[in-house]
Amino acid sequence: MTVRTRADLGALPSYVPGRSVPGAVKLASNEVSAGPLPSVVRAIADAATAVNRYPDTAATDLVARLGDRLGVPTDQLAVGCGSVTLCQQLVQATCTEADEVVFPWRSFEAYPIITAVVGAGQTRVPLTAGHGLDLDAMAGAVTDRTRLVFVCNPNNPTGTALTAAELERFVDRVPTDVLVVVDEAYKEFVDDPDVPDGVEFAKAQWAAGRDNVAVLRTFSKAYGLAGLRVGYAAASPAVAEALRKVYVPFSVNALAQVAAVASLDAEDELMARCRAVVAERGRVRAELLAAGFEVPVSQANFVWLPLGERTAAFNEHCLAHKVVVRAFAGDGARVTVGEVGENEAFLAAARSFTG
Ligand SMILES: *Cc1c(COP(=O)(O)O)cnc(C)c1O
């Protein structure tokens, strides 16, 4: 007899990771192209001698450092095995089958998967014509059953960002018993002063008695630790406590914890790298516009090409030029901004696309 799995398993979508093609330039997963800093590698190597022991499940050192760095009490912080796992923990902590999650679409591919895995309902709210989050429609999509709303800022994969005023107005419209999760995976690449720092925004909301705002950040993107899996949430004490309740014990491993602390020690160097990516982002977008592509203004470490039905052909064309982008068939292509040479390889491919 075959094992009986849950009836809806076949219908669950699978997460499609960015492809790695040997010898090709990989601009498909929004990683930073530069390798880890020597100081971070040393910290990981030192910690490797103690991996016979379980990690500190409370990630005490990392949480203390984050608390100081952000000005947030440690009981309002929770770490996770990548912020994607924190997304899942938040849905697990707020929803069962009777409940719903609202999120923009297109947005982070993991939202629909996680929601379906937990078994909650989902409402996908289409983006605006300008490829940004439609906050009015999102607020309008909240029902009695809604327990959580994901607000991806900047949005993956379109790169668009919300201003503080827009976010404020949205939070004012959402009932205070519905959790608003501001996913800031790309925060360190934001250079528009009108785009809020989510943690500062959340602190102001908490101070005003609104406990329903939480912020997610990750060490995977700007801090260059995608392979180690660590992210964190800043939330009200009750939400942070709920996150710890559904935490799979020891899931943030010991190497990830020391690497995250070492990365905070080296933050100046890492942020300088981010500024270089931001400069390249402006150049890449300008070159694409000059070549006739539509490219929304991006506040993240990638650009979005809304190519619609031409997306699959564009993807094949880039692959033929040994550049791996992230294609969402029928919709568009997301291209990570890498180092100058990588971006040049992509731009050469893009300029020669005639599809
Ligand atoms: C990459 C990404 C994450 C999560 O990254 P982790 O590696 O799991 O920390 C979360 N949200 C968005 C929008 C992302 O693009």
Side-chain angles (χ1 to χ4, degrees):
M1 269 213 324
T2 42
V3 173
R4 295 210 311 203
T5 54
R6 51 192 275 188
D8 63 347
L9 195 68
L12 293 182
S14 297
Y15 186 86
V16 184
R19 286 166 66 176
S20 290
V21 177
V25 171
K26 187 186 180 201
L27 299 175
S29 297
N30 299 343
E31 300 141 336
V32 286
S33 295
L37 295 172
S39 59
V40 175
V41 173
R42 261 194 314 276
I44 295 168
D46 288 348
T49 61
V51 295
N52 53 311
R53 303 292 178 189
Y54 279 104
D56 172 6
T57 201
T60 314
D61 290 347
L62 175 56
V63 168
R65 280 296 297 275
L66 288 170
D68 282 348
R69 165 80 178 67
L70 303 168
V72 173
T74 53
D75 71 333
Q76 292 187 242
L77 293 169
V79 294
C81 179
S83 62
V84 67
T85 305
L86 286 160
C87 291
Q88 177 158 338
Q89 288 170 253
L90 285 165
V91 177
Q92 286 173 324
T94 53
C95 294
T96 57
E97 292 91 284
D99 308 313
E100 283 173 4
V101 177
V102 169
F103 51 83
W105 198 251
R106 181 169 290 279
S107 189
F108 185 35
E109 263 209 286
Y111 301 150
I113 300 172
I114 283 164
T115 306
V117 168
V118 173
Q122 54 184 265
T123 305
R124 303 180 185 192
V125 179
L127 301 181
T128 64
H131 314 285
L133 270 53
D134 188 341
L135 290 184
D136 284 335
M138 286 173 65
V142 171
T143 70
D144 292 350
R145 293 157 58 113
T146 307
R147 295 290 172 271
L148 187 151
V149 183
F150 283 115
V151 176
C152 193
N153 198 38
N155 188 46
N156 174 6
T158 57
T160 56
L162 302 164
T163 65
E166 289 169 328
L167 199 55
E168 183 104 47
R169 206 169 87 90
F170 176 72
V171 170
D172 275 346
R173 286 186 62 187
V174 175
T176 52
D177 61 351
V178 175
L179 185 63
V180 176
V181 178
V182 183
D183 184 343
E184 287 196 329
Y186 301 97
K187 192 237 167 277
E188 296 82 1
F189 301 100
V190 170
D191 68 348
D192 178 346
D194 290 337
V195 177
D197 174 304
V199 172
E200 294 305 319
F201 176 84
K203 282 196 231 170
Q205 297 296 320
W206 301 331
R210 283 183 172 272
D211 282 348
N212 63 324
V213 178
V215 182
L216 296 181
R217 298 228 179 124
T218 178
F219 285 94
S220 295
K221 310 285 164 51
Y223 291 85
L225 300 179
L228 279 175
R229 319 301 308 129
V230 53
Y232 61 93
S236 68
V239 170
E241 171 73 23
L243 275 171
R244 288 189 287 267
K245 267 205 154 144
V246 297
Y247 180 70
V248 173
F250 310 117
S251 54
V252 177
N253 72 72
L255 305 186
Q257 292 183 32
V258 298
V261 170
S263 298
L264 291 172
D265 287 338
E267 204 162 29
D268 291 349
E269 261 173 288
L270 293 167
M271 292 309 117
R273 283 180 172 183
C274 292
R275 284 193 294 279
V277 168
V278 167
E280 274 294 281
R281 174 180 77 201
R283 189 180 73 86
V284 167
R285 177 166 183 266
E287 294 284 337
L288 289 169
L289 292 176
F293 290 93
E294 178 189 354
V295 190
V297 172
S298 172
Q299 286 289 300
N301 67 338
F302 51 82
V303 290
W304 173 246
L305 285 76
L307 292 160
E309 296 309 320
R310 298 158 69 212
T311 303
F314 183 79
N315 185 41
E316 289 310 312
H317 177 82
C318 289
L319 277 175
H321 286 74
K322 292 233 169 266
V323 177
V324 188
V325 303
R326 185 61 184 280
F328 299 97
D331 202 350
R334 187 194 70 199
V335 187
T336 305
V337 176
E339 293 183 336
V340 177
E342 297 172 310
N343 302 334
E344 280 305 312
F346 163 65
L347 287 169
R351 286 188 200 103
S352 63
F353 178 63
T354 53

